[in-house]
C-alpha cells in the first residue's frame, strides 16, 4: 500500500492512518516525525512507526508500510490520504485557517471615509454621488473548506452570503428608506451601493455597523497592444515564441515546466474573468469555452453573464481587453511556433462576466 505524499511546503511527508471495524484504529504521521498511535484495543503492529521523506519537486518515491494484525479477529485496515472525520466526541485535528480566508476581505483603507470621496463631496456638498458602503459584519465562510462536493460548497457560500446580507442590513435599509436615500443591496460582499451627499455620508460614517465608505471609482482599461516604439512592440506577434511553440511570457514564469514536468496545463479546471467581455468565437478560445456543446451549438447560461443582459459572450471594448486577458490565461494553439499556446493554463475551460462598460 502506498499512501499519497502530502505537500508541506518544500518537504513532502507521508500522511496516513489506519481504520478498522469498531473500534477504530489509526496510525498517523504528520509532517514532523512522530510515533504512530494505535489503541491497545486493536492489536495492530505498524512498521515503521514514523516516516519522514523529503523529495525534490517533480520526483516521487515509494514508501512501504507493514501492518500486522496480532488480534484473534480479522481486521481490515484502510489507508486514507488525509485526516478523516474523528470518532464521536473527539475534536477534529485541523490546521488553523487564516483569518483572511474566513470571510470576504474588505478593501484596505485606513480611514472610514475614502479621502477621494471626501474631496468629491466637499466640491459639491449637496449633490448625491455613488458610494460603496461596506458593513463590518461579514459572514464566516470557513465551514465551506470542509465541504468536498464542489456544487454543495458553492450553494453553501451563496446561501450564507445572501442570507447574511438580508438579515444584517435590515436596520440600515430601514434608515436609508426613511431618509429617502436610494440604494442597491449587495451580497457578494456585505454592503450597499448608495446615492448620498456629503451630510448623508457623514451620518452613515457614524453608524456602528458601517466599516467603510468608498467612492465608486471607474477605472479606464489600458490598451492591449504596446505603444509604437516600445520594446514590447518590437516582438512579432507570432515569432515572439520559441521554435518549440513556447511563448516568451510562458517561459518567463516557467509555465512550460508545469506542462512538461507534471503534465498539468489546467485540465479539469474552469477559470473566469470579469472584464470587458470575451470574444467567445476567437480561435484560441472557442474550443475550451465551457458553453461549447460541440457541433456548432453553445449554451451560454451560467457560462456568461452580462448585467446589460446581452445573451451572447462578446467584447465590445475597443482594445478587446477581456479577450486579451482570457488569452493570457487559457489561450490555446497547436503547440507549434505558428500556433503557440499563449495562455498559462491552456488546458483549462473558461467562463466570463462583463464587469466593464465599453472602455471603463
Amino acid at each position: 500500500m502506498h499512501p499519497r505524499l502530502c505537500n508541506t511546503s518544500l518537504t513532502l511527508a507521508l500522511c496516513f492512518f489506519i481504520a478498522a471495524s469498531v473500534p477504530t484504529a489509526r496510525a498517523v504521521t504528520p509532517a514532523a516525525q512522530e510515533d504512530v498511535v494505535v489503541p491497545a484495543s486493536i492489536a495492530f503492529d505498524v512498521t515503521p512507526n514514523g516516516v519522514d521523506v523529503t523529495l525534490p519537486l517533480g520526483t516521487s518515491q515509494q514508501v512501504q508500510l507493514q501492518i500486522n494484525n496480532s488480534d484473534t479477529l480479522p481486521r481490515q485496515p484502510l489507508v486514507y490520504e488525509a485526516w478523516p472525520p474523528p470518532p464521536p466526541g473527539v475534536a477534529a485535528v485541523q490546521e488553523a485557517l487564516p483569518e483572511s480566508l474566513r470571510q470576504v476581505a474588505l478593501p484596505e483603507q485606513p480611514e472610514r471615509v475614502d479621502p477621494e470621496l471626501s474631496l468629491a463631496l466637499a466640491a459639491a456638498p449637496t449633490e448625491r454621488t455613488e458610494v460603496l458602503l461596506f458593513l463590518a459584519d461579514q459572514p464566516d465562510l470557513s465551514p465551506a473548506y470542509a465541504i468536498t462536493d464542489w456544487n454543495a460548497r458553492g450553494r453553501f457560500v451563496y446561501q450564507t452570503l445572501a442570507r447574511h446580507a438580508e438579515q444584517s442590513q435590515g436596520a440600515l435599509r430601514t434608515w436609508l428608506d426613511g431618509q429617502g436615500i436610494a440604494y442597491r443591496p449587495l451580497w457578494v460582499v456585505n454592503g450597499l451601493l448608495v446615492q448620498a451627499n456629503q451630510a448623508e455620508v457623514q451620518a452613515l460614517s457614524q453608524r456602528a455597523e458601517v466599516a467603510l465608505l468608498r467612492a465608486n471609482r471607474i477605472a479606464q482599461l489600458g490598451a492591449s497592444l504596446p505603444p509604437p516604439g516600445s520594446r514590447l512592440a518590437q516582438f512579432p506577434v507570432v515569432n515572439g515564441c520559441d521554435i518549440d511553440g513556447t511563448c516568451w511570457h510562458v517561459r518567463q514564469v516557467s509555465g512550460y515546466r508545469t506542462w512538461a514536468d507534471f503534465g498539468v496545463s489546467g485540465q479539469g479546471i474552469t477559470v473566469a474573468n470579469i472584464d470587458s467581455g470575451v470574444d467567445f468565437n476567437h480561435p484560441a478560445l472557442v474550443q475550451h469555452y465551457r458553453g461549447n456543446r460541440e457541433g456548432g451549438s453553445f449554451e451560454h447560461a451560467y457560462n456568461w453573464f452580462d448585467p446589460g443582459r446581452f445573451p451572447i459572450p462578446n467584447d465590445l471594448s475597443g482594445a478587446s481587453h477581456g479577450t486579451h486577458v482570457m488569452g493570457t490565461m487559457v489561450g490555446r494553439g497547436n503547440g507549434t511556433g505558428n500556433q503557440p499556446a499563449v495562455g498559462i493554463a491552456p488546458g483549462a475551460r473558461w467562463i466570463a462576466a462583463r464587469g466593464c462598460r465599453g472602455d471603463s
Side-chain angles (χ1 to χ4, degrees):
M1 293 175 286
H2 305 293
R4 178 175 295 179
L5 295 178
C6 304
N7 192 343
T8 58
S9 187
L10 297 179
T11 300
L12 299 179
L14 181 66
C15 301
F16 59 86
F17 77 80
I18 292 85
S21 55
V22 180
T24 299
R26 70 176 187 172
V28 181
T29 56
Q33 184 170 353
E34 297 180 2
D35 290 338
V36 174
V37 179
V38 181
S41 59
I42 300 297
F44 275 138
D45 296 321
V46 183
T47 306
N49 64 0
V51 177
D52 191 354
V53 179
T54 301
L55 299 174
L57 188 66
T59 64
S60 62
Q61 176 182 328
Q62 289 188 347
V63 178
Q64 292 187 347
L65 174 66
Q66 183 175 344
I67 305 170
N68 294 319
N69 178 18
S70 57
D71 199 351
T72 58
L73 298 176
R75 303 289 182 181
Q76 181 180 4
L78 303 175
V79 179
Y80 290 82
E81 296 183 10
W83 292 87
V90 177
V93 180
Q94 295 181 343
E95 181 180 350
L97 190 66
E99 192 65 32
S100 61
L101 297 180
R102 293 179 176 272
Q103 59 189 24
V104 177
L106 296 181
E108 295 183 3
Q109 178 178 296
E111 304 88 351
R112 177 170 284 194
V113 180
D114 177 9
E116 182 179 321
L117 175 61
S118 296
L119 288 174
L121 292 172
T126 60
E127 288 188 16
R128 283 178 168 169
T129 186
E130 284 191 343
V131 178
L132 284 168
L133 182 155
F134 297 87
L135 276 73
D137 185 12
Q138 300 292 323
D140 181 10
L141 299 175
S142 57
Y145 291 89
I147 303 175
T148 56
D149 180 84
W150 190 251
N151 292 329
R153 181 187 292 193
R155 283 193 298 271
F156 169 81
V157 171
Y158 164 71
Q159 291 170 356
T160 300
L161 291 172
R163 185 183 304 116
H164 188 85
E166 186 66 28
Q167 293 173 351
S168 63
Q169 294 176 11
L172 182 56
R173 292 187 198 176
T174 299
W175 184 87
L176 291 170
D177 290 335
Q179 300 296 315
I181 300 174
Y183 62 88
R184 176 184 174 187
L186 307 174
W187 58 266
V188 172
V189 61
N190 190 16
L192 301 99
L193 179 65
V194 301
Q195 297 280 346
N197 59 31
Q198 186 182 47
E200 291 162 345
V201 166
Q202 180 62 28
L204 285 167
S205 69
Q206 301 304 312
R207 294 184 64 91
E209 69 265 52
V210 175
L212 299 175
L213 292 155
R214 287 174 64 87
N216 188 22
R217 299 178 176 88
I218 298 178
Q220 299 297 317
L221 298 176
S224 297
L225 297 177
S230 69
R231 182 174 177 272
L232 288 180
Q234 300 171 16
F235 285 92
V237 174
V238 170
N239 294 332
C241 304
D242 296 341
I243 192 170
D244 64 355
T246 302
C247 291
W248 67 270
H249 65 288
V250 176
R251 191 170 294 280
Q252 282 289 99
V253 298
S254 296
Y256 68 97
R257 292 186 57 196
T258 306
W259 304 348
D261 296 350
F262 301 101
V264 175
S265 63
Q267 57 268 37
I269 301 297
T270 298
V271 302
N273 73 6
I274 304 176
D275 208 297
S276 60
V278 175
D279 175 6
F280 81 103
N281 267 321
H282 192 289
L285 299 173
V286 66
Q287 293 303 318
H288 50 308
Y289 169 47
R290 196 178 70 175
N292 190 335
R293 296 294 183 256
E294 307 296 339
S297 64
F298 296 89
E299 174 57 61
H300 302 304
Y302 300 101
N303 299 310
W304 161 253
F305 175 74
D306 181 357
R309 305 303 181 190
F310 200 94
I312 299 174
N314 63 88
D315 190 348
L316 299 180
S317 69
S320 298
H321 190 278
T323 303
H324 175 91
V325 170
M326 187 61 75
T328 304
M329 295 162 63
V330 300
R332 283 187 186 176
N334 63 9
T336 69
N338 290 327
Q339 292 188 24
V342 297
I344 301 300
R349 296 193 298 170
W350 65 270
I351 58 177
R354 193 196 307 283
C356 310
R357 300 189 297 263
D359 63 351
S360 64

